[in-house]
Amino acid sequence: MKKIRIIGINVGSGESSITGRGFFNSKDKTFCYIPIKEESKQRIKFTYRDLKNPYISKEVLDLPCHYDPEFKTFTYGHIKRGFGDQILYKPTLLDDCDVYLFFYSTLNIDKNPKKWGIFIIGFFEVEKIENVTDFTNEEIFSLIDFKDNAHIRREEPFKKNKKKLLIKGKNNSKRFTYAIQLSKIDDPTELSPQFVNLITTTSGKKIKKSKGLHRYVFYSDNPIFLEMLKNQE
């Protein structure tokens, strides 16, 4: 039986984004996730209007949107960040184990910008990882499995001199209807107690209270945590 590796990546708009953060409803645990604005020129137009999200401000609907990860065909484009994400670049990663990628975002709680937390919004069971660091633009555009990814919509898919990946999830991957609160209810700098013994850094260190918690790359090989992700609606 293969080992499991579960890796958590921060995605989505933040406080300083032109859209502001999305939000989490504390009463029913539903949420609004807002992707970041697309800063690169697009060859295939995609705007916030295409998300058909009624909660996004009308003022930004026609701005280009970097919808990544996308949960239609389950793809994600990753540029090396240096916060423990080197694990994703291991060439034999998928040979050694079953890999799962969960995505978390900072969300305002009950639409209050002064009160926010860290929430898991979905996950991929990883089918393939393409290291496209040395690919030409044309080679990247030819990757049919990733045609709906935000990086493929760009004229220049990735910034130069950066290590980059395209990751594809299996069909049982999903965007949640109900978010999982990863941070404490009243403190976004600390993990929720239920995750303290389930999640570590990618080097296996215990997660400590940190103002930068919302930028961490998280790691787990715990089957209890995996079942939690799989069973979440």
Side-chain angles (χ1 to χ4, degrees), residues 63-101:
L63 293 178
C65 170
H66 187 80
Y67 183 37
D68 192 26
E70 55 88 15
F71 293 93
K72 178 184 175 184
T73 63
F74 307 116
T75 66
Y76 168 66
H78 185 78
I79 298 173
K80 196 167 193 325
R81 302 179 183 182
F83 295 105
D85 61 351
Q86 64 273 8
I87 189 172
L88 291 169
Y89 291 83
K90 183 181 177 183
T92 59
L93 182 61
L94 289 175
D95 298 333
D96 300 332
C97 51
D98 292 324
V99 178
Y100 300 84
L101 198 61

Side-chain angles (χ1 to χ4, degrees), residues 8-220:
I9 299 287
N10 168 257
V11 295
S13 59
E15 181 184 17
S16 61
S17 302
I18 193 168
T19 60
R21 293 190 190 99
F23 60 85
F24 171 79
N25 294 310
S26 60
K27 288 185 179 179
D28 62 8
K29 301 187 185 304
T30 58
F31 66 96
C32 168
Y33 163 68
I34 304 178
I36 59 173
K37 179 177 175 289
E38 178 59 85
E39 300 295 343
S40 296
K41 194 170 181 180
Q42 293 176 316
R43 66 189 184 95
I44 302 171
K45 185 179 178 181
F46 189 91
T47 68
Y48 284 102
R49 190 180 299 277
D50 293 307
L51 294 175
K52 296 179 172 57
N53 185 331
Y55 299 107
I56 294 178
S57 170
K58 292 180 180 178
E59 286 75 20
V60 303
L61 286 178
D62 292 319
L63 293 178
C65 170
H66 187 80
Y67 183 37
D68 192 26
E70 55 88 15
F71 293 93
K72 178 184 175 184
T73 63
F74 307 116
T75 66
Y76 168 66
H78 185 78
I79 298 173
K80 196 167 193 325
R81 302 179 183 182
F83 295 105
D85 61 351
Q86 64 273 8
I87 189 172
L88 291 169
Y89 291 83
K90 183 181 177 183
T92 59
L93 182 61
L94 289 175
D95 298 333
D96 300 332
C97 51
D98 292 324
V99 178
Y100 300 84
L101 198 61
F102 73 86
F103 301 100
Y104 71 89
S105 190
T106 59
L107 303 175
N108 293 334
I109 299 173
D110 297 323
K111 301 183 180 180
N112 181 354
K114 294 182 179 179
K115 186 178 180 182
W116 58 278
I118 304 170
F119 298 85
I120 303 175
I121 63 161
F123 84 103
F124 287 0
E125 180 175 352
V126 177
E127 179 180 333
K128 67 169 67 174
I129 300 175
E130 292 277 3
N131 189 328
V132 295
T133 300
D134 297 323
F135 282 32
T136 65
N137 289 351
E138 290 71 24
E139 287 172 328
I140 294 174
F141 294 147
S142 71
L143 297 173
I144 301 300
D145 285 343
F146 298 95
K147 63 183 178 59
D148 290 317
N149 187 264
H151 288 272
I152 306 301
R153 293 192 183 101
R154 291 174 168 180
E155 289 189 0
E156 188 76 30
F158 292 92
K159 292 180 180 179
K160 294 180 179 179
N161 303 319
K162 293 282 186 179
K163 292 184 178 180
K164 48 247 185 185
L165 303 171
L166 285 169
I167 299 174
K168 170 98 174 139
K170 296 180 181 179
N171 288 337
N172 56 346
S173 305
K174 59 183 172 180
R175 179 189 184 279
F176 298 147
T177 299
Y178 307 101
I180 299 173
Q181 182 147 0
L182 189 58
S183 63
K184 276 189 171 181
I185 293 173
D186 56 351
D187 187 357
T189 68
E190 196 165 357
L191 278 183
S192 171
Q194 68 175 319
F195 295 116
V196 169
N197 295 318
L198 298 180
I199 295 174
T200 67
T201 67
T202 55
S203 59
K205 294 180 180 178
K206 186 174 181 178
I207 303 291
K208 297 180 180 180
K209 184 181 177 71
S210 170
K211 290 182 178 179
L213 188 68
H214 60 287
R215 293 191 296 270
Y216 273 41
V217 176
F218 295 112
Y219 175 81
S220 178

